[in-house]
Amino acid sequence: MAGAPGGAAAVGAAWLAFVVAPAAAGGPAGAALMAGASPYFAGPAVQSGWAAGAVACALLLAARRRSFDHLETP
């Protein structure tokens, strides 16, 4: 499971690059970046998709956790 911290860091860096940085940039460049990104974060259909993705991840995490609760040792 060595890739988990690296994966979390990559996701965090991507969020910073695509969400926080354009908002913090301000000015016309920041406004243009945020306008380009807004279709991916706004609207009922998009929010439903994000919610469905979160539920799917939670279910996969729960299934994975349960599978490791009863490990048999050789």
Side-chain angles (χ1 to χ4, degrees):
M1 191 104 158
V11 169
W15 272 104
L16 283 174
F18 293 112
V19 177
V20 177
L33 287 170
M34 290 304 290
S38 67
Y40 301 107
F41 299 104
V46 175
Q47 291 299 317
S48 298
W50 282 101
V55 168
C57 288
L59 290 173
L60 288 171
L61 183 62
R64 181 191 168 278
R65 172 75 178 136
R66 195 164 293 161
S67 69
F68 284 104
D69 283 344
H70 304 289
L71 291 177
E72 295 181 16
T73 57

